[in-house]
């Protein structure tokens, strides 16, 4: 009597699916019984995503997702041991595209930055900005004065050396 290898019958999410609501659990359903050492990993851009409580119950492999998945492409890589002793593996690619998820993240950030900017403007008076520009101008003036002073010293030194050379003749 020959035993057939078990195959993946269904999964949540399914291969190629675009998930549009928060995913809290991954479920893989196989045609035959699987061993307790069966498992899977979830990856996004080759980074492993945390999955908790991966359990085997007869033909079903289940894992809990503790934090909401961000919009993007994901791959479930499963490795099972069938009750006939064969090791099998496969991949299930899917995409998360929850509407308004990116928009809400983008909207939160500018609002936070605007609030921070307003607080900073209220805390630091306009005089500070003028002081900064005055400091820059002062630094520029010091540089010019230093450069002119060095040039004058070099000229005086050259004139002094020239006078000494003429006196010796």
């Amino acid at each position: 009597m020959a035993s057939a290898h078990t195959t993946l019958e269904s999964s949540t999410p399914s291969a190629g699916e675009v998930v549009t609501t928060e995913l809290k659990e991954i479920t893989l359903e196989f045609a035959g019984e699987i061993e307790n050492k069966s498992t899977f990993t979830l990856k996004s851009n080759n980074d492993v995503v945390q999955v908790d409580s991966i359990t085997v119950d007869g033909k079903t492999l289940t894992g809990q997702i503790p934090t909401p998945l961000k919009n993007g492409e994901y791959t479930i890589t499963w490795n099972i041991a069938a009750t006939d002793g064969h090791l099998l593996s496969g991949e299930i690619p899917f995409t998360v595209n929850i509407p308004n998820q990116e928009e809400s993240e983008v909207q939160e950030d500018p609002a936070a930055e605007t609030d921070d900017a307003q607080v900073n403007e209220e805390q630091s008076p306009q005089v500070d900005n003028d002081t900064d520009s005055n400091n820059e101008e002062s630094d520029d003036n010091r540089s010019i004065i230093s450069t002119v002073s060095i040039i004058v010293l070099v000229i005086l030194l050259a004139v002094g050396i020239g006078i000494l050379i003429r006196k010796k003749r």
Side-chain angles (χ1 to χ4, degrees):
M1 182 170 164
S3 65
H5 299 301
T6 190
T7 58
L8 181 67
E9 282 196 336
S10 66
S11 65
T12 303
S14 60
E17 181 177 350
V18 177
V19 178
T20 57
T21 59
E22 185 177 335
L23 187 63
K24 297 184 183 217
E25 182 177 81
I26 293 175
T27 305
L28 310 178
E29 187 76 34
F30 294 90
E33 299 277 322
I34 58 174
E35 297 289 331
N36 284 334
K37 56 186 167 186
S38 300
T39 190
F40 69 86
T41 57
L42 177 61
K43 290 186 178 183
S44 175
N45 298 324
N46 292 325
D47 294 328
V48 175
V49 178
Q50 181 180 353
V51 178
D52 292 341
S53 306
I54 297 176
T55 58
V56 174
D57 184 17
K59 300 177 181 182
T60 306
L61 183 59
T62 306
Q64 306 300 316
I65 301 174
T67 57
L69 299 177
K70 294 181 180 178
N71 287 349
E73 295 181 11
Y74 293 84
T75 302
I76 302 166
T77 303
W78 53 267
N79 296 290
I80 64 157
T83 55
D84 66 1
H86 287 93
L87 300 176
L88 302 168
S89 63
E91 292 186 338
I92 305 167
F94 69 96
T95 303
V96 173
N97 189 7
I98 300 173
N100 299 326
Q101 184 183 43
E102 291 178 3
E103 290 175 15
S104 66
E105 289 174 4
V106 170
Q107 288 175 355
E108 288 174 14
D109 291 340
E113 290 175 10
T114 301
D115 291 343
D116 290 344
Q118 289 174 347
V119 168
N120 287 340
E121 286 178 11
E122 291 171 6
Q123 291 175 348
S124 59
Q126 195 67 25
V127 175
D128 287 346
N129 292 336
D130 292 340
T131 303
D132 288 342
S133 64
N134 287 341
N135 286 340
E136 289 175 13
E137 288 175 14
S138 177
D139 288 343
D140 289 343
N141 288 341
R142 286 184 194 137
S143 296
I144 293 170
I145 291 171
S146 297
T147 304
V148 170
S149 297
I150 290 172
I151 292 171
V152 168
L153 285 174
V154 169
I155 292 172
L156 288 175
L157 186 60
V159 169
I161 291 174
I163 291 174
L164 285 176
I165 292 175
R166 284 188 187 173
K167 280 187 178 182
K168 287 187 178 180
R169 289 184 183 181

